[in-house]
Amino acid sequence: MSLAAAVEPGVLRRYASDQIVTLAKLVIENAFQPIVEAGTGTVFGYESLMRGQERIGFDSPVEILDEADRAGQLLQLEQMVASRALAKFATLGNYSTSTLFLNLDVRLIPHGDRLIETLLQHLKAANIPPSSVCFEFSERFDNTSVPEFEALVSKFRKTGFKLAIDDFGVGHGEMKLLCDYAVDYLKIDRHFVADIDRKPRKRHLLKNIVNIAHVLGTRVIAEGIETEAEFLACREYGVDLVQGWFIARPTPHTSELVSSFAHLQDLGKSKHNTQSLDEILIRKQIEVLPTVYENDSIDTVFELFRRNPRQAFFPVLNANGEPRGIIHEHHLKEYIYQPFGRDLLKNKVYGRTISHFVEMAPIVGLDSDAERLMTIFANMEGSNCLILTDNMRYAGVVSAASLIKVINEKQLKTAQDQNPLTGLPGNRAIRDFMRQAGRDGDEVRHFCYCDFDNFKPFNDAYGFHLGDHAISLFAALMRRYFFTERHFLGHVGGDDFFIGVIGWTKEELTEILDRLISDFHEDVRDLYSDEDRAAGRIRGHDRAGAEALFPLMRCSIGVLELPEGLVIDDINRVSAEIAHIKAEAKESTEGLIFHPLGEAN
């Protein structure tokens, strides 16, 4: 039986102040919580969390850390916990491609050198590069007010460790940290993620925080995700990594950890989902520049510039293949053109390494759309390039000129997709609109599928010229009633049309669609002969070739409603529900049917 099991926790706590590290060694263990790539479901790393302190009378990790600080043993406790976390991390099958996130108490900043020295010894013994470890700066206190903070951050980066701002949005100095220091990750606090699918103010905040972070070359982690809807919203708004109970709870048992969560990749997406037009075009413009690693020698950089005289900069990666920024030739010129400048750089005593010269650059995933990339570029004054990643690893760079080519080619492709008869966008643009609108749950959205009833017998009887006239007539009516930039009009093909409406109520849309159906029915009556118009029907053949009587043409409209707050990325599901609603609309008396998503029969 252990000491912790044999003695009451309250008794242990009373005698803990002098022996807190000794007691902690008996009960403290490290639980790992996966941090996962939002787009792929692949585990990117693990946050190490302290567990077991309650066995010696402390209700939370904060309490035992505070007690250790009062007893002057905080550094020893944190060194013990961190070394155990590293030892456990080294046993994982995917440790060489993962990142271990460790919390750094602000009170340890003055002792940062000793902490780093101990960790480097453990890392060297386990053959783990420093870039596999990320320190999270706790926001319980103002880190930037500690005099030694700036020097410690500089040493962390030069040594190769990564840095994260924890609990962003609720602490003391997060904006100062983000503004003044090169930070690798920004962890959005749970407060801004909770119920984000139902709260527009939180969604707007998250969008802007993500954009700011990406411009600064910082990746974004959403903490505390507890529902599918929160996950989908965070993924849609550009969050790079996710963490929370919806993905996986912390566990001290490494046997329970997995390397990926396949269901996250498919969640809300079609299993047959293909690359977007933007990604296809962006991949064509990527320039895969040679790279240097932050732990390479200065000689490596000189040689790279010598072999590529027209290249002014190169991306810098850490040992895990993640971009840290760029190294530009102008950073080295003052040494190159000074007497003995190169020799000075190579001198280990002088202490200059590649990490001293790394300049942050915008970093964004390949799955971003072209307009967003251009916006990020425009907001980064003086940036040489935008670094693109695929699954968080370096994929290449794009320049502003390359992005302009992408946008021009995208506009050309969109124009080629337009229907020549009506001039309306075709199926690719319709799917892109549905995907984009489905991902943005700020307002209610209505997808209207319009289909002519009894068009075939009319076209057979009166010829394709009048059939085309009816199609053009409907397109003109659509433009009359739906004319703002927020409305989307598309021509699926033949006598099928699509209308996308954002922000209208059901009552507002019903009034306009009733008018559209009525006006079209009245206008197409004039295309029939006096005899057929008076009879109210014509004789023709159905699709099976059987002769039958058909009423005069009208338009049926099935409307799929996506309520405010709903985020969906599965366009095939949306299309399938629209097909059901369209069939129901054709059978209805009014020719107009509404169904919220998920309620179509």
Side-chain angles (χ1 to χ4, degrees):
M1 181 179 294
S2 69
L3 174 63
V7 183
E8 284 291 327
V11 176
L12 283 172
R13 180 165 181 169
R14 282 198 298 272
Y15 295 101
S17 59
D18 293 330
Q19 301 294 327
I20 196 164
V21 175
T22 303
L23 292 173
K25 287 179 179 179
L26 299 173
V27 297
I28 294 297
E29 54 186 343
N30 301 88
F32 283 2
Q33 184 173 32
I35 296 174
V36 178
E37 295 173 16
T40 67
T42 302
V43 171
F44 176 78
Y46 307 90
E47 180 177 0
S48 178
L49 300 167
M50 191 187 300
R51 293 292 184 265
Q53 70 284 333
E54 69 281 353
R55 299 172 195 166
I56 52 174
F58 296 96
D59 293 332
S60 68
V62 172
E63 282 193 6
I64 192 171
L65 291 172
D66 289 345
E67 183 62 34
D69 184 51
R70 283 191 289 270
Q73 298 185 53
L74 181 60
L75 177 61
Q76 296 93 315
L77 179 61
E78 287 279 33
Q79 284 177 324
M80 183 271 290
V81 173
S83 62
R84 287 188 174 185
L86 286 171
K88 179 175 285 190
F89 181 66
T91 67
L92 301 179
N94 62 336
Y95 83 89
S96 60
T97 58
S98 298
T99 297
L100 178 65
F101 288 77
L102 298 174
N103 290 283
L104 180 66
D105 194 296
V106 66
R107 293 166 293 191
L108 289 179
I109 291 174
H111 311 286
D113 286 348
R114 290 174 61 189
L115 184 64
I116 290 175
E117 184 180 340
T118 302
L119 287 174
L120 287 174
Q121 291 173 1
H122 288 295
L123 289 170
K124 186 175 181 180
N127 197 28
I128 299 173
S131 58
S132 290
V133 176
C134 178
F135 285 101
E136 299 183 17
F137 290 115
S138 168
E139 286 305 313
R140 291 181 62 212
F141 306 97
D142 185 358
N143 295 277
T144 58
S145 67
V146 181
E148 297 89 350
F149 180 73
E150 184 174 355
L152 180 62
V153 169
S154 178
K155 185 161 186 176
F156 272 140
R157 290 199 65 82
K158 290 169 184 175
T159 309
F161 292 111
K162 295 186 288 189
L163 305 175
I165 301 174
D166 195 13
D167 304 320
F168 188 86
V170 297
H172 290 77
E174 307 99 331
M175 290 305 293
K176 285 194 291 183
L177 274 170
L178 192 59
C179 178
D180 297 340
Y181 298 95
V183 177
D184 297 280
Y185 308 104
L186 185 156
K187 299 188 78 174
I188 302 288
D189 186 75
R190 161 72 186 161
H191 173 80
F192 301 97
V193 172
D195 300 321
I196 192 172
D197 51 299
R198 302 199 301 270
K199 297 187 176 180
R201 291 172 68 89
K202 289 188 177 184
R203 291 197 292 274
H204 289 307
L205 274 172
L206 181 65
K207 288 178 189 176
N208 284 293
I209 290 171
V210 169
N211 284 336
I212 291 170
H214 285 172
V215 166
L216 298 177
T218 300
R219 315 312 295 271
V220 178
I221 304 172
E223 294 185 286
I225 291 180
E226 295 183 358
T227 69
E228 176 181 326
E230 290 170 358
F231 167 73
L232 290 173
C234 288
R235 183 176 67 185
E236 163 55 22
Y237 299 141
V239 166
D240 303 287
L241 300 161
V242 290
Q243 175 183 7
W245 284 10
F246 176 71
I247 291 91
R249 297 196 178 204
T251 176
H253 307 296
T254 56
S255 60
E256 296 177 359
L257 299 174
V258 296
S259 60
S260 65
F261 297 86
H263 73 284
L264 294 181
Q265 182 179 13
D266 296 332
L267 194 60
K269 293 185 177 181
S270 163
K271 291 183 179 179
H272 305 290
N273 200 26
T274 55
Q275 287 179 338
S276 66
L277 175 61
D278 288 60
E279 186 172 344
I280 292 170
L281 297 177
I282 289 168
R283 284 184 180 273
K284 288 169 58 179
Q285 294 296 332
I286 288 178
E287 184 179 5
V288 185
L289 293 177
T291 61
V292 293
Y293 288 86
E294 60 185 354
N295 57 352
D296 283 348
S297 67
I298 291 290
D299 272 342
T300 304
V301 181
F302 285 139
E303 178 61 21
L304 205 53
F305 281 117
R306 189 189 66 78
R307 286 189 280 108
N308 300 272
R310 296 186 179 181
Q311 185 61 39
F313 64 90
F314 294 101
V316 179
L317 311 182
N318 63 25
N320 297 53
E322 300 170 81
R324 300 299 297 269
I326 63 170
I327 187 166
H328 201 285
E329 63 177 353
H330 68 72
H331 292 138
L332 303 174
K333 280 183 177 178
E334 62 176 296
Y335 294 95
I336 294 173
Y337 297 117
Q338 283 183 5
F340 311 111
R342 290 196 180 198
D343 294 331
L344 184 63
L345 276 179
K346 296 175 187 179
N347 190 328
K348 292 183 179 180
V349 176
Y350 184 59
R352 286 292 186 268
T353 64
I354 288 175
S355 60
H356 284 82
F357 303 103
V358 174
E359 176 183 309
M360 298 297 285
I363 302 173
V364 189
L366 257 176
D367 55 354
S368 301
D369 61 73
E371 287 76 13
R372 179 165 176 261
L373 297 186
M374 184 59 83
T375 299
I376 290 174
F377 223 132
N379 289 332
M380 190 63 180
E381 185 178 351
S383 178
N384 296 99
C385 69
L386 195 152
I387 300 177
L388 294 176
T389 59
D390 194 4
N391 298 340
M392 300 294 290
R393 268 58 178 186
Y394 171 74
V397 302
V398 289
S399 63
S402 296
L403 283 177
I404 291 172
K405 288 181 183 178
V406 168
I407 291 173
N408 287 340
E409 190 169 352
K410 181 180 177 181
Q411 291 173 343
L412 178 62
K413 294 284 186 185
T414 302
Q416 292 172 342
D417 188 44
Q418 288 180 345
N419 187 283
L421 177 61
T422 61
L424 293 173
N427 288 303
R428 181 192 290 273
I430 293 171
R431 288 182 67 85
D432 286 346
F433 169 82
M434 288 197 296
R435 181 177 288 108
Q436 182 177 351
R439 291 171 171 174
D440 192 344
D442 283 356
E443 299 177 85
V444 64
R445 295 134 293 165
H446 290 97
F447 297 164
C448 314
Y449 199 101
C450 313
D451 186 12
F452 297 175
D453 298 338
N454 309 311
F455 177 73
K456 182 182 182 301
F458 172 83
N459 203 49
D460 290 344
Y462 288 92
F464 70 89
H465 290 294
L466 276 183
D468 286 352
H469 185 63
I471 290 171
S472 299
L473 188 102
F474 186 79
L477 287 171
M478 287 170 60
R479 289 189 173 100
R480 179 191 302 174
Y481 289 123
F482 300 94
F483 51 83
T484 73
E485 290 184 0
R486 303 196 74 197
H487 299 150
F488 177 88
L489 305 179
H491 192 166
V492 178
D495 59 327
D496 291 6
F497 292 83
F498 176 87
I499 303 172
V501 179
I502 298 175
W504 280 15
T505 65
K506 179 181 177 182
E507 291 71 27
E508 290 171 331
L509 184 56
T510 299
E511 179 183 351
I512 298 301
L513 292 179
D514 278 339
R515 226 185 287 173
L516 175 63
I517 291 171
S518 174
D519 287 356
F520 178 68
H521 185 60
E522 289 301 314
D523 288 349
V524 295
R525 282 173 57 86
D526 294 336
L527 302 181
Y528 288 87
S529 67
D530 292 341
E531 181 181 352
D532 288 341
R533 190 163 54 248
R537 59 184 182 272
I538 62 172
R539 187 174 296 279
H541 295 85
D542 61 21
R543 297 189 182 279
E547 188 172 315
L549 289 173
F550 295 90
L552 302 186
M553 188 170 25
R554 73 164 188 179
C555 179
S556 297
I557 303 177
V559 183
L560 183 66
E561 178 182 302
L562 276 64
E564 181 182 341
L566 174 68
V567 176
I568 184 169
D569 199 19
D570 189 348
I571 299 305
N572 282 356
R573 178 188 168 193
V574 172
S575 300
E577 297 227 21
I578 287 176
H580 287 298
I581 298 168
K582 181 183 78 168
E584 193 174 340
K586 280 184 169 294
E587 297 173 2
S588 69
T589 303
E590 297 81 8
L592 178 61
I593 291 292
F594 279 79
H595 270 302
L597 181 65
E599 295 183 15
N601 297 318

